[in-house]
Amino acid sequence: MQLGLIGLGRMGQIVVDRTLAAGHDVVAFDLDEDAVEGAADAGATPADSIDDLLERLGSDKRIWLMVPAGEAVDVTLEELAPHLDGDDVVVDGGNSYFEDSVRRAESCPAAYLDCGTSGGPAGAELGFSLMVGGPQWAYDELEPVFDAVATGPDGHERMGPAGSGHYVKMIHNGVEYALMQTYGEGFELLHEGRYDLDLENVASVWNNGAVIRSWLLELCEEAFREEGNDLGTVADRIEGGSTGTWTVQEALEQEVP
């Protein structure tokens, strides 16, 4: 199928590469001309504006946004809106606030899918985990692309109506930051504790069968292997970002400890 991709940062470029590798066509646009050239080198059709991108897409447009959450999404949608109708589909693959996604789904002329995206740079090789909210028919229509961008058919799922995809991703990030903080505090205690421990060895053993094994812990093991055991000036906290703050706010609102 043919996909229009707006936003060619690190994550957006991965979406381009994996979609192309699966045999689909991509029309790519970004405000950064170098990013557009990079996508073209990978095999995408370059567009020099949103209007140009729209002209290159077929009558039933499938457009994936990978732009920063917030105003950039609204500005892009405003430019797209006059050219869209109910047969088109727009995917927002960024970390938008779920209530903003509900609002955008109600006002967008096209079917709107909010798509929480997890996997980071490793997604380039392994594929992403995709949490999607919005109309079932639109999700079904984009399934070939979701298969390509995700780890495969098991790497994506429709969570429910508009907003649910970004809601699940928001909570996902809250869990992620809590896990990172916990690992950080645990390794700090090991480092300052009673024994002279090799933290890489600890992480390696934990990653082989322990109940706290995880990809995040694999990254810890890799970091200890490359940087050594001295924690030095490594911060003793995790910055939660907007999604972490939203998770805490939602927990307070729902009275969930």
Side-chain angles (χ1 to χ4, degrees):
M1 61 186 300
Q2 186 187 45
L3 181 72
L5 200 295
I6 300 174
L8 299 170
R10 182 173 58 181
M11 299 284 275
Q13 186 60 53
I14 294 173
V15 172
V16 169
D17 292 341
R18 292 189 63 85
T19 303
L20 289 170
H24 304 294
D25 296 325
V26 177
V27 181
F29 170 70
D30 192 282
L31 294 175
D32 184 342
E33 294 181 1
D34 290 339
V36 176
E37 289 182 11
D41 290 342
T45 300
D48 57 21
S49 66
I50 288 181
D51 284 344
D52 185 30
L53 178 139
L54 289 164
E55 289 179 4
R56 295 175 183 275
L57 296 178
S59 56
D60 293 339
K61 299 175 178 61
R62 310 291 180 249
I63 301 173
W64 190 306
L65 309 184
M66 211 53 138
V67 300
E71 183 180 1
V73 179
D74 289 314
V75 170
T76 305
L77 286 173
E78 287 175 7
E79 192 166 350
L80 289 171
H83 309 279
L84 302 176
D85 60 36
D87 294 326
D88 301 323
V89 181
V90 174
V91 178
D92 177 6
N95 271 333
S96 293
Y97 185 48
F98 76 96
E99 289 187 351
D100 288 340
S101 298
V102 173
R103 169 179 57 81
R104 290 165 183 151
E106 292 173 349
S107 61
C108 184
Y112 196 79
L113 297 175
D114 50 287
C115 179
T117 306
S118 179
E125 180 179 352
L126 303 174
F128 291 127
S129 170
L130 304 177
M131 298 141 265
V132 186
Q136 182 70 56
W137 76 265
Y139 172 79
D140 293 342
E141 183 67 24
L142 266 291
E143 201 159 4
V145 169
F146 291 146
D147 285 347
V149 175
T151 55
D154 292 335
H156 63 88
E157 188 58 76
R158 177 179 177 267
M159 299 291 112
S164 63
H166 281 150
Y167 186 85
V168 172
K169 179 56 165 56
M170 176 184 75
I171 307 301
H172 160 287
N173 283 22
V175 171
E176 175 187 355
Y177 300 138
L179 286 171
M180 292 167 71
Q181 179 71 27
T182 301
Y183 285 134
E185 292 176 5
F187 281 113
E188 175 76 7
L189 180 55
L190 292 172
H191 183 259
E192 300 295 333
R194 296 173 182 266
Y195 297 95
D196 181 15
L197 297 168
D198 185 322
L199 299 185
E200 180 193 346
N201 287 343
V202 173
S204 176
V205 170
W206 282 354
N207 276 320
N208 284 275
V211 295
I212 59 171
R213 64 188 183 274
S214 73
W215 181 60
L216 290 173
L217 189 57
E218 290 174 3
L219 294 179
C220 290
E221 180 182 349
E222 179 182 329
F224 290 132
R225 182 167 58 252
E226 295 182 357
E227 304 294 338
N229 283 324
D230 184 6
L231 299 181
T233 58
V234 176
D236 59 357
R237 68 189 184 281
I238 295 298
E239 302 292 353
S242 56
T243 49
T245 301
W246 297 336
T247 301
V248 174
Q249 291 172 341
E250 177 66 5
L252 290 169
E253 188 170 327
Q254 299 301 329
E255 298 184 350
V256 175

